[in-house]
Amino acid sequence: MNGSVRVGQVVGIPLRMHWSVPVLVVVFAYGLGRQTLPVWTPGRSDAVYTFASAVGAVLLMGSLLLHETAHAVTARRKKIAVEDVTLWALGGMTRMGRPQTAAVAFAVAVSGPLTSLAIGGAALGAGIGLHMLPGWAVPAAVLVWLGWANLFLGAFNLLPAAPLDGGRVVQAALWWHTGDRERADRAASRSGQVVGVLLMVVGWIGLLRGGPGGLWLVFVGLFITVVAGAERQRAVIHTALRGVRVDGAMSSPVTTGADWLTAQRFIDEVAVKSRHSAVPLLDFEGRPSGIVQVRRLAGIPEARREDLRVCEVAIPLSQCAVAAPSDLLSEALDRLRPSTGMRILVVDDGHLVGIITAKDISRLMRQHTLRGRGSN
C-alpha cells in the first residue's frame, strides 16, 4: 500500500504501517481521554485520563494487528503464500495468494472476525470483573471500551461486502454452492459496491445532521466501493480469460538487459532505447534474474551510476510473477505481485521466452469482447 513503511515483522511476515495509523491512535486516544473516560469514571486528573487513553489506543491497535495476524497464520497453515501485513486507518490488510478451495477461502476469511470477537468478549468480561474491585475503575473502563470496540470491529467486518471479511465469507459460500469461483467473485464484489454506496449515503445523512461519525462512514464506504469495483473487474477478466494458456497471451521476443552492467551503461545501452517502463534482466548464463524499473534507474544519483550495478536496484526473480508457457493464464495472474505490477515473466527450461503485460491482457479482453458481439 502506498504511504506505508516496514516497521518489523509478525510471525515471520513483514509488517508495514501506513502513515494514517499514528493519526488513528491520536484520534482514538483523544476520544477516549476527553469524552469516554471522564463520563464513565468522573473525578480523575487529566494525567490519569491521558495515560489511560494512550494505553487504550495502543491496545486497540494491537487488537487490529491480532485480527490481521489471524488471517496470515490461517493462510500459511493452508499453504497460501503471505506477502505482508499492513496496518492502516481502516484496520489492516493482509496481502496473500488466492485460496485454491472454497473451504480454505472460508477459513481464512472468518479467522479475523472470530479473533476480534474473542478479544472483545475477553476484554469486556475482564473489564466487568475489574469494575467490581475497588480502585480499578479506570482500567476497567478502558477494557470495557476495548471490548466493545473489538465486538464492533468483528461485527462490522462480517458485513456481506467484499473486500470486508464478510464478503469473503459470502464469496466462499457461493463458490462452494455453485462451483464457479468467478461467479462467486462477481457476486461478492457487487454486494461490496452496494454496501459501500449505502454506507456513503448513511454517512452523508449523518454529516448533514451534524453527526461526527458521518465522515468516517463516507470514507469507509468509498473505500469499499472502489476496492469492490476493482475486484469485480478482476473477476470479469478471469472469466473472459478462462481456458487461455500463457503462451497464447505472451509477447515475444522480449527486450532484455544484462544484470551485470553498471546503472549508467544500462541506461545508455538499454533503457533509453526501450519503449517499456520495466526491463527483464538476464545473468551471465542467459537466465532471467529479475526486472528493473526505469523509474528506479532514473532515481539513482548520477554520481553513483558508474559504481552501482543494475542488479542491485532490480526486483529479484524470487519476487516476480513467473509462469511456464503451458500454464493457464488465470492461474498465472494469481501470482502477480504489487511490486512488479501487471508483468508475468514466461520461463521455459530456465530461459525467458516471453512476457505478459497489461497491454497483452487488454488485447485479449478486446478480442473476447469482439467475439462476444460477433456471436450475438
Side-chain angles (χ1 to χ4, degrees):
M1 177 184 293
N2 293 334
S4 62
V5 296
R6 182 168 176 174
V7 295
Q9 60 181 22
V10 56
V11 295
I13 300 170
L15 174 63
R16 303 181 65 86
M17 183 176 294
H18 192 256
W19 61 264
S20 59
V21 171
V23 176
L24 184 68
V25 170
V26 171
V27 170
F28 277 134
Y30 180 84
L32 181 60
R34 294 295 182 180
Q35 299 173 359
T36 305
L37 290 180
V39 173
W40 288 3
T41 58
R44 271 67 177 183
S45 66
D46 289 341
V48 170
Y49 291 142
T50 300
F51 178 76
S53 62
V55 171
V58 171
L59 288 176
L60 182 59
M61 295 310 302
S63 301
L64 294 176
L65 177 58
L66 288 176
H67 177 113
E68 293 304 319
T69 301
H71 286 308
V73 170
T74 304
R76 277 195 163 182
R77 287 178 178 174
K78 301 297 183 179
K79 310 301 181 183
I80 301 175
V82 180
E83 188 165 342
D84 58 32
V85 172
T86 302
L87 294 181
W88 69 304
L90 296 183
M93 181 179 296
T94 301
R95 293 194 297 183
M96 65 183 76
R98 297 183 80 195
Q100 296 305 308
T101 67
V104 170
F106 178 85
V108 173
V110 80
S111 61
L114 289 181
T115 299
S116 294
L117 293 175
I119 294 173
L124 194 59
I128 294 173
L130 277 181
H131 186 69
M132 299 179 182
L133 302 176
W136 289 85
V138 174
V142 171
L143 286 174
V144 169
W145 173 83
L146 180 67
W148 283 116
N150 274 278
L151 291 177
F152 172 79
L153 175 66
F156 180 80
N157 270 277
L158 286 174
L159 286 176
L164 297 179
D165 297 327
R168 306 297 186 204
V169 171
V170 170
Q171 184 180 23
L174 290 174
W175 181 9
W176 174 81
H177 179 69
T178 64
D180 189 333
R181 179 176 190 164
E182 281 72 32
R183 180 182 174 186
D185 289 350
R186 293 195 303 272
S189 59
R190 188 184 302 114
S191 175
Q193 289 176 302
V194 171
V195 172
V197 171
L198 289 176
L199 287 175
M200 284 191 289
V201 170
V202 173
W204 277 116
I205 293 175
L207 277 175
L208 293 175
R209 293 183 176 180
L215 184 59
W216 183 81
L217 279 179
V218 171
F219 185 41
V220 172
L222 179 61
F223 168 77
I224 292 176
T225 302
V226 171
V227 176
E231 293 197 359
R232 180 169 174 77
Q233 181 62 29
R234 186 177 67 177
V236 169
I237 291 174
H238 274 76
T239 300
L241 302 182
R242 183 181 296 172
V244 177
R245 295 195 346 167
V246 166
D247 55 5
M250 70 183 189
S251 295
S252 182
V254 186
T255 299
T256 60
D259 65 359
W260 66 85
L261 296 177
T262 64
Q264 186 61 60
R265 187 177 171 189
F266 190 92
I267 292 172
D268 295 337
E269 297 181 6
V270 182
V272 296
K273 300 177 183 179
S274 174
R275 295 176 295 173
H276 307 290
S277 59
V279 180
L281 300 178
L282 303 180
D283 61 17
F284 278 109
E285 298 179 351
R287 298 178 181 274
S289 61
I291 292 179
V292 64
Q293 297 172 323
V294 175
R295 61 179 177 82
R296 291 285 299 274
L297 293 173
I300 302 174
E302 292 188 13
R304 298 191 58 203
R305 292 181 180 179
E306 291 290 356
D307 301 320
L308 197 65
R309 296 195 178 276
V310 69
C311 59
E312 297 179 59
V313 295
I315 301 170
L317 188 66
S318 60
Q319 297 179 21
C320 298
V322 179
S326 59
D327 289 348
L328 288 176
L329 181 57
S330 57
E331 296 178 356
L333 289 173
D334 291 340
R335 303 170 196 160
L336 287 171
R337 303 287 187 88
S339 57
T340 56
M342 181 70 82
R343 296 182 185 89
I344 301 173
L345 299 180
V346 185
V347 179
D348 187 23
D349 193 26
H351 292 86
L352 186 67
V353 295
I355 189 170
I356 299 174
T357 65
K359 291 183 178 180
D360 298 308
I361 301 300
S362 297
R363 170 176 51 83
L364 290 174
M365 291 299 295
R366 286 195 299 269
Q367 293 174 353
H368 173 79
T369 301
L370 291 173
R371 287 195 296 267
R373 290 177 178 176
S375 63
N376 289 336

